[in-house]
Amino acid sequence: MDINTNTKATESTKTIKFGIDVHKKNYIVCIQIDGSTPNPAQKFEPGQFLNWVKTHVKEGYKVYTCYEAGLFSFTLHRKLTAIGAINYVVHP
């Protein structure tokens, strides 16, 4: 992973956004911290990604996630909101 996940959120970096391309075996995720240019997409296993989001929420980031509605319905939405992310499911 390219982002340093060991750094606590500061006043200048309190928002992190994840754009998720959901697949059965993995998620392809684009990440944007505050208003910076989005980082290159990264591949995560579903459990790995959810743990990573949970870590950022615990570090004090305001976490936004977004993915396209499809075969996976609202299962991921429920998991993300349960760990404290603000999630949007968008129309394909």
Side-chain angles (χ1 to χ4, degrees), residues 41-82:
Q42 298 177 51
K43 186 186 291 189
F44 293 89
E45 292 178 3
Q48 176 190 26
F49 176 69
L50 291 170
N51 286 333
W52 202 49
V53 170
K54 187 185 297 186
T55 299
H56 285 11
V57 169
K58 286 181 180 178
E59 288 179 345
Y61 285 91
K62 189 164 191 173
V63 176
Y64 293 91
T65 57
C66 179
Y67 70 93
E68 184 178 76
L71 298 174
F72 303 99
S73 188
F74 287 90
T75 303
L76 178 58
H77 172 77
R78 288 184 200 98
K79 290 177 182 179
L80 288 166
T81 56

Side-chain angles (χ1 to χ4, degrees), residues 5-63:
T5 58
N6 295 326
T7 304
K8 288 275 188 187
T10 64
E11 288 303 315
S12 62
T13 56
K14 288 297 257 183
T15 302
I16 188 164
K17 300 171 189 163
F18 298 99
I20 312 160
D21 187 10
V22 180
H23 299 273
K24 185 176 182 177
K25 293 185 180 182
N26 58 55
Y27 301 156
I28 308 300
V29 182
C30 244
I31 301 150
Q32 181 182 31
I33 299 175
D34 288 328
S36 67
T37 302
N39 292 321
Q42 298 177 51
K43 186 186 291 189
F44 293 89
E45 292 178 3
Q48 176 190 26
F49 176 69
L50 291 170
N51 286 333
W52 202 49
V53 170
K54 187 185 297 186
T55 299
H56 285 11
V57 169
K58 286 181 180 178
E59 288 179 345
Y61 285 91
K62 189 164 191 173
V63 176

